[in-house]
Amino acid sequence: MPNNKEIKKVTTHVLLEMKKRGEKIAMLTAYDFTMAKIIDSSGVDVVLVGDSASNVMAGHETTLPITLDQMIYHAGSVVRATSRALVVVDLPFGSYQANSKEALSSAIRIMKESGAHAIKLEGGREVKESIERILTAGIPVMGHLGLTPQSIYKFGTYSVRAKEVDEAERLIEDAKLLEQYGCFALVLEKIPANLATKVAQCISIPVIGIGAGSGVDGQVLVTHDMLGMTNEFNPRFLRRYLNLYESMNSAFKQYIVDVKNKDFPNKKEQY
Ligand code: KIV
């Protein structure tokens, strides 16, 4: 099996092989062409068109308002920029919970209209029928357990999930069920590291964590957070690789100064 850099195109099969040989999977979010192009050329394995676009792109407080049409718009932009990474797209809130028929038609629209490679949806046993139906159409499904932001009004807070034994046991059962239903991978969000490690060890599909410690098969972060473009969100799990908020802010300020002082454009910058 070739290593990460030799892989021409990442497929669900490649991710499974990476887990088998212990190579960690790197996943980041993207919602637009320009960002996705930079991310893909860096060698990231999976690009997630997350419904976090609802917060990051549209400024909503939760992920609930984003629509299927909006997700398809973001996904199409990301797919056009991507030549290597696997592109996974979130089914937005309300596009799959009512029944499995609606789930399948939402997933088909995403695949057909954006050209994405797989979909992701939140939940365990309660979305069994939807997962199975989507899979019958040959569409790969990524699961998502732990903190599931589409259920924020049920939980009430964004705090760490599955700290109690009952919830932890249920999460392990759900992870096993998602594997049985046929999911190709699973995201675990904001749960204790020990529990996440246990899940990754007891199922054969890749487990990708966000706030789930280092014992899982890969990591995902929201790109705008890890680049430091957002500066109000500071969870413990977030590592910032840049402080783009500051850099961009000072670039904009310098531009304003240059315009006001008639320093921009200079002679070389005009026709
Ligand atoms: O929407 C999203 O960005 C996500 C990740 C946080 C996993 O689901």
Side-chain angles (χ1 to χ4, degrees):
M1 188 71 193
N3 71 24
N4 184 317
K5 290 206 180 72
E6 292 161 346
I7 294 164
K8 295 254 173 343
K9 253 189 187 304
V10 180
T11 61
T12 55
H13 178 74
V14 165
L15 298 181
L16 211 65
E17 291 298 323
M18 286 170 78
K19 170 159 179 148
K20 278 191 200 151
R21 63 173 188 273
E23 183 182 340
K24 300 278 184 184
I25 297 163
M27 172 160 134
L28 283 173
T29 59
Y31 321 111
D32 69 278
F33 181 87
T34 306
M35 188 72 90
K37 203 159 180 73
I38 303 170
I39 291 173
D40 187 57
S41 69
S42 73
V44 157
D45 303 302
V46 184
V47 175
L48 172 67
V49 185
D51 58 358
S52 50
S54 180
N55 313 88
V56 179
M57 293 282 106
H60 293 297
E61 237 177 74
T62 72
T63 58
L64 276 69
I66 199 160
T67 65
L68 185 57
D69 283 336
Q70 288 164 342
M71 287 303 296
I72 290 170
Y73 168 77
H74 288 298
S77 308
V78 169
V79 168
R80 284 190 288 281
T82 310
S83 54
R84 180 184 174 279
L86 184 84
V87 179
V88 181
V89 181
D90 266 334
L91 279 184
F93 176 70
S95 72
Y96 64 98
Q97 289 92 343
N99 59 64
S100 62
K101 222 169 151 188
E102 202 177 325
L104 176 59
S105 73
S106 301
I108 287 177
R109 277 201 62 203
I110 287 181
M111 301 297 281
K112 217 176 174 69
E113 296 176 39
S114 76
H117 310 132
I119 61 95
K120 173 164 90 57
L121 48 73
E122 296 180 6
R125 62 200 76 184
E126 66 278 14
V127 284
K128 173 183 194 277
E129 280 171 27
S130 294
I131 292 173
E132 288 180 339
R133 196 151 190 166
I134 293 168
L135 285 166
T136 60
I139 301 171
V141 179
M142 179 182 270
H144 186 153
L145 296 172
L147 173 60
T148 47
Q150 291 180 9
S151 308
I152 186 59
Y153 290 115
K154 180 172 135 198
F155 295 115
T157 76
Y158 286 100
S159 55
V160 179
R161 291 286 136 76
K163 278 160 82 179
E164 306 303 327
V165 177
D166 284 3
E167 204 187 332
E169 279 171 359
R170 191 180 160 91
L171 188 140
I172 294 174
E173 278 169 22
D174 273 337
K176 288 181 181 166
L177 287 171
L178 291 180
E179 177 183 32
Q180 263 175 41
Y181 302 158
C183 288
F184 72 92
L186 169 62
V187 166
L188 287 182
E189 181 164 353
K190 223 170 171 188
I191 63 167
N194 285 345
L195 174 62
T197 304
K198 203 166 160 188
V199 173
Q201 283 168 354
C202 74
I203 61 176
S204 61
I205 57 173
V207 174
I208 302 181
I210 174 163
S214 62
V216 289
D217 307 304
Q219 299 293 328
V220 56
L221 284 176
V222 170
T223 298
H224 290 67
D225 295 335
M226 63 88 80
L227 291 178
M229 292 173 90
T230 49
N231 65 356
E232 284 148 13
F233 180 61
N234 286 303
R236 186 200 295 196
F237 66 78
L238 176 60
R239 184 178 294 182
R240 292 196 200 282
Y241 288 82
L242 284 174
N243 187 344
L244 272 193
Y245 187 94
E246 293 265 303
S247 309
M248 291 172 78
N249 201 255
S250 61
F252 297 146
K253 282 185 175 145
Q254 187 59 50
Y255 168 73
I256 295 167
V257 169
D258 291 352
V259 170
K260 305 265 179 204
N261 291 342
K262 301 178 190 157
D263 181 62
F264 175 79
N266 62 26
K267 286 235 159 60
K268 284 189 196 151
E269 291 163 331
Q270 64 189 21
Y271 300 98

CSV table of all heavy atoms in Angstrom, one decimal, residues 16-62:
chain,number,residue,atom,x,y,z
A,16,LEU,N,-9.6,3.1,5.1
A,16,LEU,CA,-9.6,1.9,5.9
A,16,LEU,C,-8.2,1.3,6.0
A,16,LEU,O,-7.8,0.8,7.0
A,16,LEU,CB,-10.5,0.9,5.1
A,16,LEU,CG,-11.3,-0.1,5.9
A,16,LEU,CD1,-12.2,0.6,6.9
A,16,LEU,CD2,-12.0,-1.1,5.0
A,17,GLU,N,-7.5,1.3,4.8
A,17,GLU,CA,-6.1,0.8,4.8
A,17,GLU,C,-5.2,1.6,5.7
A,17,GLU,O,-4.3,1.1,6.4
A,17,GLU,CB,-5.5,0.8,3.4
A,17,GLU,CG,-6.2,-0.1,2.4
A,17,GLU,CD,-6.0,-1.6,2.9
A,17,GLU,OE1,-4.9,-1.9,3.4
A,17,GLU,OE2,-6.9,-2.4,2.7
A,18,MET,N,-5.4,2.9,5.8
A,18,MET,CA,-4.6,3.8,6.7
A,18,MET,C,-4.8,3.4,8.1
A,18,MET,O,-3.9,3.3,8.9
A,18,MET,CB,-5.0,5.3,6.5
A,18,MET,CG,-4.5,5.9,5.2
A,18,MET,SD,-5.1,7.5,4.8
A,18,MET,CE,-4.2,8.5,5.9
A,19,LYS,N,-6.1,3.1,8.5
A,19,LYS,CA,-6.3,2.7,9.9
A,19,LYS,C,-5.6,1.4,10.1
A,19,LYS,O,-5.0,1.2,11.2
A,19,LYS,CB,-7.8,2.5,10.1
A,19,LYS,CG,-8.1,1.8,11.4
A,19,LYS,CD,-9.5,2.0,12.0
A,19,LYS,CE,-9.6,1.2,13.3
A,19,LYS,NZ,-10.5,1.8,14.3
A,20,LYS,N,-5.7,0.4,9.2
A,20,LYS,CA,-5.0,-0.9,9.4
A,20,LYS,C,-3.5,-0.8,9.6
A,20,LYS,O,-3.0,-1.5,10.4
A,20,LYS,CB,-5.3,-1.8,8.1
A,20,LYS,CG,-6.6,-2.5,8.1
A,20,LYS,CD,-6.7,-3.5,7.1
A,20,LYS,CE,-8.1,-3.8,6.7
A,20,LYS,NZ,-8.3,-4.3,5.4
A,21,ARG,N,-2.9,0.2,8.9
A,21,ARG,CA,-1.4,0.3,9.1
A,21,ARG,C,-1.1,1.4,10.1
A,21,ARG,O,0.1,1.7,10.3
A,21,ARG,CB,-0.7,0.4,7.8
A,21,ARG,CG,-1.0,1.6,7.0
A,21,ARG,CD,0.0,1.8,5.8
A,21,ARG,NE,-0.2,3.0,5.2
A,21,ARG,CZ,-1.1,3.3,4.2
A,21,ARG,NH1,-1.9,2.3,3.8
A,21,ARG,NH2,-1.2,4.5,3.7
A,22,GLY,N,-2.1,1.9,10.8
A,22,GLY,CA,-1.8,2.9,11.9
A,22,GLY,C,-1.4,4.3,11.4
A,22,GLY,O,-0.8,5.0,12.2
A,23,GLU,N,-1.7,4.6,10.1
A,23,GLU,CA,-1.4,5.9,9.7
A,23,GLU,C,-2.5,6.9,10.0
A,23,GLU,O,-3.7,6.6,9.6
A,23,GLU,CB,-1.1,5.9,8.2
A,23,GLU,CG,-0.7,7.3,7.6
A,23,GLU,CD,-0.5,7.3,6.1
A,23,GLU,OE1,-0.2,6.2,5.5
A,23,GLU,OE2,-0.5,8.4,5.5
A,24,LYS,N,-2.3,8.0,10.7
A,24,LYS,CA,-3.4,8.9,11.1
A,24,LYS,C,-4.0,9.6,9.9
A,24,LYS,O,-3.3,10.0,8.9
A,24,LYS,CB,-2.9,9.9,12.1
A,24,LYS,CG,-2.3,9.2,13.4
A,24,LYS,CD,-3.4,8.8,14.4
A,24,LYS,CE,-2.8,8.3,15.6
A,24,LYS,NZ,-3.8,7.8,16.6
A,25,ILE,N,-5.3,9.9,10.0
A,25,ILE,CA,-6.0,10.5,8.9
A,25,ILE,C,-6.2,12.0,9.3
A,25,ILE,O,-6.6,12.3,10.4
A,25,ILE,CB,-7.4,9.9,8.8
A,25,ILE,CG1,-7.2,8.4,8.3
A,25,ILE,CG2,-8.3,10.7,7.8
A,25,ILE,CD1,-8.5,7.5,8.5
A,26,ALA,N,-5.8,12.9,8.4
A,26,ALA,CA,-6.0,14.4,8.6
A,26,ALA,C,-7.2,14.9,7.8
A,26,ALA,O,-7.3,14.8,6.6
A,26,ALA,CB,-4.7,15.1,8.2
A,27,MET,N,-8.1,15.5,8.6
A,27,MET,CA,-9.4,16.0,7.9
A,27,MET,C,-9.6,17.5,8.4
A,27,MET,O,-9.3,17.8,9.5
A,27,MET,CB,-10.5,15.1,8.4
A,27,MET,CG,-11.9,15.5,8.0
A,27,MET,SD,-13.0,14.1,8.1
A,27,MET,CE,-14.4,14.7,9.0
A,28,LEU,N,-10.0,18.3,7.4
A,28,LEU,CA,-10.3,19.7,7.7
A,28,LEU,C,-11.6,20.1,7.0
A,28,LEU,O,-11.9,19.5,6.0
A,28,LEU,CB,-9.1,20.6,7.2
A,28,LEU,CG,-7.9,20.7,8.1
A,28,LEU,CD1,-6.8,21.5,7.3
A,28,LEU,CD2,-8.1,21.3,9.5
A,29,THR,N,-12.2,21.1,7.5
A,29,THR,CA,-13.4,21.6,6.9
A,29,THR,C,-13.1,22.6,5.7
A,29,THR,O,-12.0,23.3,5.8
A,29,THR,CB,-14.3,22.4,7.8
A,29,THR,OG1,-13.6,23.5,8.4
A,29,THR,CG2,-14.8,21.4,9.0
A,30,ALA,N,-13.9,22.7,4.7
A,30,ALA,CA,-13.9,23.8,3.7
A,30,ALA,C,-15.3,24.0,3.2
A,30,ALA,O,-16.1,23.1,3.2
A,30,ALA,CB,-12.9,23.4,2.6
A,31,TYR,N,-15.5,25.2,2.8
A,31,TYR,CA,-16.8,25.6,2.3
A,31,TYR,C,-16.8,26.4,1.0
A,31,TYR,O,-17.8,26.7,0.4
A,31,TYR,CB,-17.6,26.5,3.4
A,31,TYR,CG,-17.3,26.1,4.8
A,31,TYR,CD1,-16.6,26.9,5.7
A,31,TYR,CD2,-17.9,24.9,5.3
A,31,TYR,CE1,-16.4,26.6,7.0
A,31,TYR,CE2,-17.7,24.6,6.7
A,31,TYR,CZ,-16.9,25.4,7.5
A,31,TYR,OH,-16.7,25.0,8.8
A,32,ASP,N,-15.5,26.7,0.6
A,32,ASP,CA,-15.4,27.5,-0.7
A,32,ASP,C,-14.2,27.0,-1.5
A,32,ASP,O,-13.3,26.3,-1.0
A,32,ASP,CB,-15.3,29.0,-0.3
A,32,ASP,CG,-14.0,29.3,0.3
A,32,ASP,OD1,-13.8,29.1,1.5
A,32,ASP,OD2,-13.0,29.7,-0.4
A,33,PHE,N,-14.2,27.4,-2.7
A,33,PHE,CA,-13.2,27.0,-3.7
A,33,PHE,C,-11.8,27.3,-3.3
A,33,PHE,O,-10.9,26.5,-3.3
A,33,PHE,CB,-13.5,27.6,-5.1
A,33,PHE,CG,-12.6,27.2,-6.2
A,33,PHE,CD1,-12.8,26.1,-6.9
A,33,PHE,CD2,-11.5,28.0,-6.5
A,33,PHE,CE1,-12.0,25.7,-7.9
A,33,PHE,CE2,-10.6,27.7,-7.5
A,33,PHE,CZ,-10.9,26.5,-8.2
A,34,THR,N,-11.5,28.6,-2.9
A,34,THR,CA,-10.2,29.0,-2.7
A,34,THR,C,-9.6,28.3,-1.5
A,34,THR,O,-8.4,27.8,-1.5
A,34,THR,CB,-10.2,30.6,-2.4
A,34,THR,OG1,-10.8,31.2,-3.5
A,34,THR,CG2,-8.8,31.1,-2.3
A,35,MET,N,-10.3,28.2,-0.4
A,35,MET,CA,-9.8,27.5,0.8
A,35,MET,C,-9.6,26.0,0.5
A,35,MET,O,-8.6,25.4,0.9
A,35,MET,CB,-10.8,27.7,2.0
A,35,MET,CG,-10.3,27.2,3.3
A,35,MET,SD,-9.0,28.2,4.0
A,35,MET,CE,-9.9,29.4,4.9
A,36,ALA,N,-10.5,25.4,-0.2
A,36,ALA,CA,-10.4,24.0,-0.5
A,36,ALA,C,-9.2,23.7,-1.4
A,36,ALA,O,-8.6,22.7,-1.2
A,36,ALA,CB,-11.7,23.5,-1.2
A,37,LYS,N,-8.9,24.6,-2.3
A,37,LYS,CA,-7.7,24.4,-3.2
A,37,LYS,C,-6.4,24.4,-2.4
A,37,LYS,O,-5.6,23.5,-2.6
A,37,LYS,CB,-7.7,25.5,-4.2
A,37,LYS,CG,-6.9,25.1,-5.5
A,37,LYS,CD,-7.3,26.0,-6.6
A,37,LYS,CE,-6.5,25.5,-7.9
A,37,LYS,NZ,-7.0,24.3,-8.4
A,38,ILE,N,-6.3,25.3,-1.4
A,38,ILE,CA,-5.1,25.3,-0.6
A,38,ILE,C,-5.0,24.1,0.3
A,38,ILE,O,-4.0,23.4,0.4
A,38,ILE,CB,-5.1,26.6,0.3
A,38,ILE,CG1,-5.2,27.9,-0.6
A,38,ILE,CG2,-3.8,26.6,1.1
A,38,ILE,CD1,-5.4,29.2,0.2
A,39,ILE,N,-6.2,23.7,0.9
A,39,ILE,CA,-6.2,22.5,1.8
A,39,ILE,C,-5.9,21.3,1.0
A,39,ILE,O,-5.0,20.5,1.4
A,39,ILE,CB,-7.6,22.4,2.4
A,39,ILE,CG1,-7.8,23.5,3.4
A,39,ILE,CG2,-7.8,21.1,3.1
A,39,ILE,CD1,-9.2,23.6,4.0
A,40,ASP,N,-6.5,21.1,-0.2
A,40,ASP,CA,-6.2,19.9,-1.0
A,40,ASP,C,-4.7,19.8,-1.4
A,40,ASP,O,-4.1,18.7,-1.3
A,40,ASP,CB,-7.1,19.9,-2.2
A,40,ASP,CG,-7.1,18.6,-3.0
A,40,ASP,OD1,-7.3,17.5,-2.4
A,40,ASP,OD2,-6.7,18.6,-4.2
A,41,SER,N,-4.2,21.0,-1.8
A,41,SER,CA,-2.8,20.9,-2.2
A,41,SER,C,-1.8,20.7,-1.1
A,41,SER,O,-0.7,20.3,-1.3
A,41,SER,CB,-2.4,22.2,-3.0
A,41,SER,OG,-2.4,23.3,-2.1
A,42,SER,N,-2.3,20.9,0.2
A,42,SER,CA,-1.4,20.6,1.3
A,42,SER,C,-1.3,19.1,1.6
A,42,SER,O,-0.4,18.7,2.4
A,42,SER,CB,-1.9,21.3,2.5
A,42,SER,OG,-3.1,20.7,3.0
A,43,GLY,N,-2.2,18.3,1.1
A,43,GLY,CA,-2.1,16.8,1.3
A,43,GLY,C,-3.1,16.3,2.3
A,43,GLY,O,-3.0,15.2,2.8
A,44,VAL,N,-4.0,17.2,2.8
A,44,VAL,CA,-5.1,16.7,3.7
A,44,VAL,C,-5.9,15.6,3.1
A,44,VAL,O,-6.1,15.6,1.9
A,44,VAL,CB,-6.0,17.9,4.1
A,44,VAL,CG1,-7.3,17.5,4.6
A,44,VAL,CG2,-5.3,18.8,5.2
A,45,ASP,N,-6.2,14.6,3.9
A,45,ASP,CA,-6.8,13.3,3.3
A,45,ASP,C,-8.3,13.5,3.1
A,45,ASP,O,-8.8,13.0,2.1
A,45,ASP,CB,-6.6,12.2,4.3
A,45,ASP,CG,-5.2,11.9,4.6
A,45,ASP,OD1,-4.4,11.7,3.7
A,45,ASP,OD2,-4.8,12.0,5.8
A,46,VAL,N,-9.0,14.2,4.0
A,46,VAL,CA,-10.4,14.3,3.8
A,46,VAL,C,-10.8,15.8,4.0
A,46,VAL,O,-10.4,16.4,5.0
A,46,VAL,CB,-11.2,13.5,4.9
A,46,VAL,CG1,-12.7,13.5,4.7
A,46,VAL,CG2,-10.7,12.0,4.9
A,47,VAL,N,-11.6,16.3,3.1
A,47,VAL,CA,-12.2,17.6,3.3
A,47,VAL,C,-13.7,17.5,3.6
A,47,VAL,O,-14.4,16.8,2.9
A,47,VAL,CB,-12.0,18.5,2.0
A,47,VAL,CG1,-12.7,19.8,2.1
A,47,VAL,CG2,-10.6,18.7,1.7
A,48,LEU,N,-14.0,18.0,4.7
A,48,LEU,CA,-15.4,18.0,5.2
A,48,LEU,C,-16.1,19.3,4.9
A,48,LEU,O,-15.7,20.3,5.4
A,48,LEU,CB,-15.5,17.7,6.7
A,48,LEU,CG,-16.9,17.8,7.3
A,48,LEU,CD1,-17.8,16.6,6.8
A,48,LEU,CD2,-16.8,17.7,8.8
A,49,VAL,N,-17.2,19.2,4.1
A,49,VAL,CA,-18.0,20.4,3.9
A,49,VAL,C,-19.0,20.3,5.0
A,49,VAL,O,-20.1,19.6,4.9
A,49,VAL,CB,-18.7,20.4,2.5
A,49,VAL,CG1,-19.5,21.7,2.3
A,49,VAL,CG2,-17.7,20.2,1.4
A,50,GLY,N,-18.6,20.8,6.2
A,50,GLY,CA,-19.4,20.7,7.4
A,50,GLY,C,-20.6,21.6,7.4
A,50,GLY,O,-20.6,22.7,6.8
A,51,ASP,N,-21.6,21.2,8.2
A,51,ASP,CA,-22.7,22.2,8.3
A,51,ASP,C,-22.3,23.3,9.3
A,51,ASP,O,-23.1,24.2,9.6
A,51,ASP,CB,-24.0,21.5,8.8
A,51,ASP,CG,-23.9,20.7,10.1
A,51,ASP,OD1,-22.8,20.7,10.6
A,51,ASP,OD2,-24.9,20.1,10.5
A,52,SER,N,-21.1,23.2,9.8
A,52,SER,CA,-20.5,24.3,10.6
A,52,SER,C,-20.5,25.6,9.6
A,52,SER,O,-20.2,26.7,10.1
A,52,SER,CB,-19.2,24.0,11.1
A,52,SER,OG,-18.3,23.5,10.1
A,53,ALA,N,-20.7,25.4,8.3
A,53,ALA,CA,-20.8,26.5,7.4
A,53,ALA,C,-21.9,27.5,7.9
A,53,ALA,O,-21.8,28.7,7.7
A,53,ALA,CB,-21.1,26.0,6.0
A,54,SER,N,-22.9,26.9,8.6
A,54,SER,CA,-24.0,27.7,9.1
A,54,SER,C,-23.5,28.8,10.1
A,54,SER,O,-23.9,29.9,10.0
A,54,SER,CB,-25.0,26.8,9.8
A,54,SER,OG,-26.1,27.5,10.3
A,55,ASN,N,-22.5,28.4,10.9
A,55,ASN,CA,-21.9,29.3,11.9
A,55,ASN,C,-20.8,30.2,11.2
A,55,ASN,O,-20.9,31.4,11.2
A,55,ASN,CB,-21.2,28.6,13.0
A,55,ASN,CG,-22.1,27.5,13.6
A,55,ASN,OD1,-22.0,26.3,13.2
A,55,ASN,ND2,-22.8,27.8,14.6
A,56,VAL,N,-19.9,29.4,10.5
A,56,VAL,CA,-18.7,30.1,10.0
A,56,VAL,C,-18.9,31.0,8.8
A,56,VAL,O,-18.4,32.1,8.7
A,56,VAL,CB,-17.6,29.0,9.7
A,56,VAL,CG1,-16.3,29.6,9.1
A,56,VAL,CG2,-17.3,28.1,10.9
A,57,MET,N,-19.7,30.5,7.9
A,57,MET,CA,-20.0,31.3,6.7
A,57,MET,C,-21.2,32.2,6.8
A,57,MET,O,-21.2,33.3,6.2
A,57,MET,CB,-20.3,30.3,5.5
A,57,MET,CG,-19.1,29.5,5.1
A,57,MET,SD,-18.0,30.4,4.0
A,57,MET,CE,-16.6,30.7,5.2
A,58,ALA,N,-22.2,31.8,7.5
A,58,ALA,CA,-23.5,32.5,7.5
A,58,ALA,C,-23.7,33.3,8.8
A,58,ALA,O,-24.6,34.1,8.9
A,58,ALA,CB,-24.6,31.6,7.2
A,59,GLY,N,-22.9,33.0,9.8
A,59,GLY,CA,-23.0,33.7,11.1
A,59,GLY,C,-24.2,33.3,12.0
A,59,GLY,O,-24.6,34.1,12.9
A,60,HIS,N,-24.8,32.1,11.7
A,60,HIS,CA,-25.9,31.7,12.6
A,60,HIS,C,-25.3,31.2,13.9
A,60,HIS,O,-24.1,30.7,13.9
A,60,HIS,CB,-26.6,30.5,11.9
A,60,HIS,CG,-27.4,30.9,10.7
A,60,HIS,ND1,-28.4,31.8,10.7
A,60,HIS,CD2,-27.3,30.5,9.4
A,60,HIS,CE1,-28.9,32.0,9.5
A,60,HIS,NE2,-28.2,31.2,8.7
A,61,GLU,N,-26.1,31.1,14.9
A,61,GLU,CA,-25.6,30.7,16.2
A,61,GLU,C,-25.5,29.2,16.3
A,61,GLU,O,-24.7,28.6,17.0
A,61,GLU,CB,-26.7,31.1,17.3
A,61,GLU,CG,-26.1,31.9,18.4
A,61,GLU,CD,-27.1,32.4,19.3
A,61,GLU,OE1,-27.5,31.5,20.1
A,61,GLU,OE2,-27.5,33.6,19.3
A,62,THR,N,-26.3,28.4,15.5
A,62,THR,CA,-26.2,27.0,15.5
A,62,THR,C,-26.1,26.5,14.0
A,62,THR,O,-26.2,27.3,13.1
A,62,THR,CB,-27.5,26.4,16.1
A,62,THR,OG1,-28.6,26.6,15.2
A,62,THR,CG2,-27.9,27.0,17.4
